[in-house]
Amino acid sequence: MVEERSESDAVAVGAAASRPVAAGARDVPGTEQADIVAPPLQRISASYIILMMIASFGGSIALMVPLTYALAVRISEIAPGQEEMLGYVTGTAQLVYLVLSPLIGMWSDRTRSRFGRRAPFMVAGALLGLPALVVVATAPTVPLIGLGWVFGMIGWSTAGGAIQNLQADHVPEEQRGRVSALTGLTTQIAPVIGIGIAYAVSSSTLLVFMVPGLIGAVMLVLLPILKAEGSSHDLVHSTHVSMKKLFASFVFNPRKYPDFGWNWLGRFIFFMGLYFNTTFGAFFYAQRLNLPVREVAGVAASIGILGVVAASVGALAGGFLSDKLGRRKLFTFIGALLFVAGACVEAFAHSLPPLIVGAVLMQLAIAVFAAVDQAIIFAVLPDRAQAGRYMAVVAFAQRIPSAIAPLIAPFIITIGASGADKNYTGLYLAGAVLALVGGLLILFKVKSVR
């Protein structure tokens, strides 16, 4: 049982065919057995939560350090003055993963192995992500950097997605807020610490990519090694997937699952605003503080220390209070409002103090929103037995913005731009409006969650 994973992890999560299952996956006498059943929900142990946090930190540091800093450094080396190339590289990789993610999710749901359904994807993601970072760090042209990052995005995102699927598989309602808060907190902290590490080795571009990547890979694999998931043979009764099911994995019926649909849309719009305001973060700081891009890491790491404190407060307060009060939507809306405040401050900041204030507010906002909305997602999943598939659909709400925003943002920053200075004020204000709309949709349209 999950609660007992700290004592023994050799027991499979679905070892007995007679175990009850949830979310429409129950076997009914006289009917055909379901292809996939959901493992039982039981309170998870503190040690299991800690290892989830460590794995989440690892996946985030490996993925986010390139996105928030290292790729900007590499682009500035290969194509100085062409900041828009960063948007094209990251946007293209996001689009590719966007197409693949539901297929990976369905594959994860239907994986039958003695190692479980999710653990193989955590390990495989890290094994794909590491060599991809080598390619990105050493490629001599922007197209090759982009190709390398496509594989890097697929690898690290697959590993991170497997951790979220484990949460959907095992975490009961009464623990979802706090577990989402704690794992969400580690994903907020990881890029900040990662940028500090990258800055410490910034004399070598290869180390800027590889040191955070190696740290991330080790942290990721600790979870499946120390807390074995157990065999999935009793959970997956058929691995056959028809073409109809394959294409159906990309979509869901918002009329049949309105709360899932409205939360998806609100999340989508919120993250569109977020990615408007984070895609060009390194270049934004460089312009506003008149610094070379490579030196931005020191400033970002210093600001990030305060951001860690803000993210800690936001994630823990949002997650634990939402559990205690039984209120989720209120906290997602508070997160959206805080994001608007931070984005507006940064939009008009031209010196370090207001940049710090804006960044801290945005870190606080993202932590509150992400932690609590994650708990809402687990509550409105159409079928927990197919958590991999539906969590991949949820990921669309983040992946589509992360692919589209970097492709749209280059046009926004050139509106009214003079010389080398880009219009980051317009970009940040546009992000603020979108974040507010996303928060309002979740607050007023999601009905089954308070």
Side-chain angles (χ1 to χ4, degrees), residues 35-60:
D35 286 350
I36 312 172
V37 296
L41 291 174
Q42 296 174 327
R43 289 185 64 86
I44 60 176
S45 65
S47 61
Y48 192 61
I49 294 174
I50 289 170
L51 280 169
M52 274 191 173
M53 292 171 63
I54 292 172
S56 296
F57 183 99
S60 182

Side-chain angles (χ1 to χ4, degrees), residues 115-142:
F115 303 108
R117 296 189 295 172
R118 316 305 183 189
F121 287 84
M122 294 175 63
V123 175
L127 291 177
L128 177 61
L130 280 174
L133 292 180
V134 176
V135 173
V136 174
T138 58
T141 65
V142 172

Side-chain angles (χ1 to χ4, degrees), residues 47 79 104 189 195 197 215 236 280-281 288-289 292 295 342 354 365 389 435:
S47 61
I104 294 171
I189 293 173
I195 289 175
I197 293 170
I215 292 172
V236 181
F280 293 95
R288 294 296 172 92
L289 298 175
E295 293 182 18
R389 170 197 166 183

Side-chain angles (χ1 to χ4, degrees), residues 60-71 190-191 193-195 198 208-209 212:
S60 182
I61 196 174
L63 176 66
M64 295 306 297
V65 169
L67 281 174
T68 56
Y69 172 66
L71 279 169
I193 295 177
I195 289 175
V208 165
F209 283 92

